[in-house]
Amino acid sequence: MFSKETYVNRRAELKKLVKSGVIILFGNNDSPANGPANGYDPFRQDSSFLYYFGLERDGLVGVIDIDNDMETLVGNDIDIDDIVWFGSVDSVHDMAEQAGVANTAPMKSLQIICNNALRAKRTIHFLPPYRFDTKLQIFDLLGIHPNQQKEAASIDLIKAVVKMRSTKTETEIEELEKAAVIGYKMHTTAMALTKPGVTEKFVGAHVDCMAKSYGKMVSFPTIYTQHGEIMHGNPSYNELESGRLVLCDAGAETRSGYCSDNTRTYPVNGKFTQRQLEIYQIVEACHDLTLKLAKPGVKYYDVHMSICKLMTDRLKEIGLMKGNTDDAVKAGAHAMFLPHGLGHMMGMDVHDMEALGQIYVGFDEEIQPVDQFGTNCLRMGRRLQKGFVVTDEPGIYFIPALIDEWKAKGLHKDFINYDLLETYKDFGGIRIEDDVLITDNGCRFIGKDRIPYHPKDIEAFMAR
């Protein structure tokens, strides 16, 4: 936890932003893996509940009555059976004191609180639920069917939470820096273990071990694969092969819930081929251009499009694309090679606040998502502000099924050299990703130790 005052001040600001009504913030419950007594480990608290209350225990709900300026931590104390198996924990009263909450109530009181608010025709604010047990709880409390809860969630509360969580304080940045230290250990471990003959599973397991050894858990399931063209390629039992590239996308979560998210791509045998190097250097240039363009007031959508144009120019130089660059990007031809967006918000969630709705997190009244293939996967398009943390993750992918489909349909044949592209079907994919903090006049990396990403640094590291 941070200081008690941190949570008191956050809730006070939340009340000012939402203005009236009753806010209910649901904490998470334990999730059984394959039976009630065998849960997923470790327990992961809901990020917004954690942000405003700082409490890690399961089975808690925070109630903020704005009109009466009253806050209540709702939850049941554990009984002797739980103590026998899991040991003693703080009482709900003690936890409320730690979070600066004056009142406590057992879970059965939550129905009374909701009934009283409904009878008085007061607005009850809740965030879009993403767990089925929470959806059932909302159904019991408010009578809103789970299929309707996303639409019934409070827009005022969503916007207030997004406003507050988007801009990171110095204390939060310190936590993100801690996550970056663990991320460095994860990625350099993967690079050190990568060699022909070992399995993807072997390396991926050691990557996960670093996250659990130095932090709380991985911030998302580790991606480590020779099929870099698969966006979420989890480790398989396949052995690493000399001459191929491997892509590692991994991150850690600190004990307080803040994340890292980095991607590196490197040759299994430690030495790039000329063809690999040509593609890699394009991604490297796009990655570094982001660092020059990202600053307060700039739309991240515009940064994304600048990267797409640079990538198109460079792909034209080696013959994979052709025609006018602006026309190619406007038509979406570049998405053959980059079918995702440049980046996303980072914080307590690896895709920060994604459960609240990406249209509120990464977009606003000025900039809205587009439907065009590839660009429709851009999670962050709005103007950057000091204190935002975003990912910078361009990539180039050669997806055989996508190549076959577009070629058969004759899509973008004025911009894509399909004859040459056919020879890249066995290439895989390359992505380089770092977490970037927006500063007063520009941006900087999160993390003091750089995970090697320039080709010569990668080869030198792997040679050692």
Side-chain angles (χ1 to χ4, degrees):
M1 291 182 69
F2 296 133
S3 68
K4 178 193 299 185
E5 290 72 28
T6 296
Y7 303 104
V8 171
N9 293 336
R10 285 175 177 176
R11 294 193 300 272
E13 180 64 19
L14 184 64
K15 285 184 276 191
K16 289 179 183 178
L17 292 172
V18 180
K19 297 180 180 178
S20 66
V22 179
I23 298 171
I24 301 179
L25 292 173
F26 293 89
N28 283 336
N29 300 309
D30 262 334
S31 297
N34 52 16
N38 185 21
Y40 286 105
D41 180 63
F43 168 73
R44 178 53 161 90
Q45 185 61 278
D46 173 77
S47 293
S48 289
F49 180 89
L50 193 59
Y51 184 83
Y52 290 104
F53 290 91
L55 301 169
E56 285 280 2
R57 209 202 81 175
D58 63 308
L60 299 174
V61 177
V63 178
I64 303 173
D65 186 332
I66 301 173
D67 306 311
N68 296 307
D69 195 21
M70 185 171 72
E71 301 172 350
T72 305
L73 181 65
V74 180
N76 297 327
D77 287 321
I78 68 169
D79 57 24
I80 190 63
D81 290 334
D82 290 324
I83 291 173
V84 168
W85 287 100
F86 301 108
S88 297
V89 298
D90 291 337
S91 67
V92 174
H93 179 273
D94 290 339
M95 288 187 289
E97 172 64 25
Q98 294 163 18
V101 178
N103 305 291
T104 62
M107 189 58 70
K108 64 182 181 182
S109 299
L110 187 57
Q111 185 71 70
I112 299 171
I113 293 170
C114 291
N115 288 345
N116 290 339
L118 290 171
R119 275 195 297 269
K121 296 184 177 180
R122 300 177 65 198
T123 301
I124 297 179
H125 304 273
F126 62 89
L127 296 172
Y130 53 90
R131 289 195 174 190
F132 287 106
D133 53 344
T134 305
K135 292 181 180 182
L136 291 174
Q137 191 173 12
I138 292 173
F139 182 51
D140 290 340
L141 292 169
L142 305 178
I144 303 172
H145 192 277
N147 290 341
Q148 301 171 327
Q149 289 172 10
K150 183 177 180 180
E151 291 72 23
S154 169
I155 302 300
D156 289 339
L157 180 58
I158 291 171
K159 290 184 175 180
V161 173
V162 169
K163 179 179 176 63
M164 293 182 66
R165 286 181 57 187
S166 291
T167 304
K168 307 302 186 286
T169 63
E170 286 300 321
T171 307
E172 290 180 286
I173 293 168
E174 289 174 8
E175 286 299 311
L176 290 166
E177 294 282 1
K178 292 178 184 177
V181 171
I182 306 171
Y184 177 85
K185 295 178 185 293
M186 295 169 74
H187 280 274
T188 52
T189 294
M191 294 176 72
L193 292 174
T194 295
K195 62 180 180 180
V198 302
T199 66
E200 294 176 3
K201 271 283 190 182
F202 178 84
V203 179
H206 282 76
V207 171
D208 291 352
C209 180
M210 291 295 105
K212 292 183 178 181
S213 297
Y214 294 97
K216 183 173 184 178
M217 56 191 288
V218 294
S219 52
F220 58 94
T222 294
I223 298 166
Y224 181 88
T225 177
Q226 295 173 103
H227 285 284
E229 78 279 7
I230 301 173
M231 300 302 147
H232 290 169
N234 299 124
S236 72
Y237 291 100
N238 295 330
E239 291 186 357
L240 300 179
E241 301 174 16
S242 182
R244 297 186 66 175
L245 294 170
V246 67
L247 184 151
C248 182
D249 188 343
E253 189 170 298
T254 66
R255 292 175 60 187
S256 60
Y258 287 82
C259 300
S260 67
D261 182 9
N262 301 94
T263 306
R264 293 294 185 264
T265 310
Y266 34 87
V268 170
N269 62 15
K271 190 73 175 177
F272 288 99
T273 67
Q274 184 58 36
R275 189 172 76 151
Q276 290 169 348
L277 191 60
E278 286 178 347
I279 301 300
Y280 189 95
Q281 288 176 330
I282 299 174
V283 180
E284 177 190 20
C286 292
H287 170 276
D288 290 353
L289 180 60
T290 301
L291 302 175
K292 297 178 182 178
L293 298 179
K295 61 183 178 180
V298 172
K299 289 185 289 188
Y300 213 50
Y301 175 87
D302 291 340
V303 181
H304 169 79
M305 298 312 294
S306 295
I307 266 61
C308 293
K309 291 177 182 178
L310 173 60
M311 184 188 73
T312 300
D313 281 337
R314 296 287 295 271
L315 287 171
K316 284 165 56 178
E317 291 175 6
I318 60 176
L320 282 166
M321 293 191 74
K322 57 186 178 179
N324 180 271
T325 295
D326 290 341
D327 292 342
V329 172
K330 184 178 180 180
H334 66 281
M336 165 61 76
F337 306 95
L338 179 59
H340 64 73
L342 177 61
H344 52 79
M345 285 280 210
M346 269 283 304
M348 296 184 79
D349 307 310
V350 69
H351 291 169
D352 210 18
M353 301 172 282
E354 189 172 50
L356 304 186
Q358 207 62 50
I359 193 170
Y360 303 110
V361 178
F363 300 89
D364 53 23
E365 291 78 8
E366 180 188 17
I367 180 72
Q368 291 289 301
V370 299
D371 293 330
Q372 186 185 72
F373 176 78
T375 311
N376 64 345
C377 292
L378 179 62
R379 293 185 172 97
M380 176 65 187
R382 59 191 282 211
R383 289 189 187 275
L384 300 169
Q385 297 178 30
K386 179 184 177 183
F388 281 13
V389 176
V390 296
T391 59
D392 166 19
E393 50 178 308
I396 292 178
Y397 313 89
F398 297 91
I399 306 169
L402 187 63
I403 295 170
D404 291 343
E405 179 175 314
W406 281 27
K407 183 179 179 180
K409 293 180 177 178
L411 293 178
H412 305 305
K413 58 185 179 181
D414 293 334
F415 304 115
I416 297 173
N417 183 349
Y418 282 104
D419 290 339
L420 182 58
L421 186 56
E422 282 285 335
T423 68
Y424 280 78
K425 279 186 174 180
D426 62 347
F427 186 94
I430 293 172
R431 182 166 63 254
I432 306 172
E433 178 183 15
D434 284 299
D435 306 327
V436 174
L437 170 68
I438 306 303
T439 59
D440 286 311
N441 301 309
C443 67
R444 70 165 177 85
F445 286 124
I446 295 284
K448 295 179 177 61
D449 292 323
R450 290 266 52 76
I451 305 166
Y453 78 92
H454 296 304
K456 61 180 178 58
D457 296 331
I458 289 174
E459 292 182 342
F461 183 91
M462 296 184 74
R464 291 197 301 270

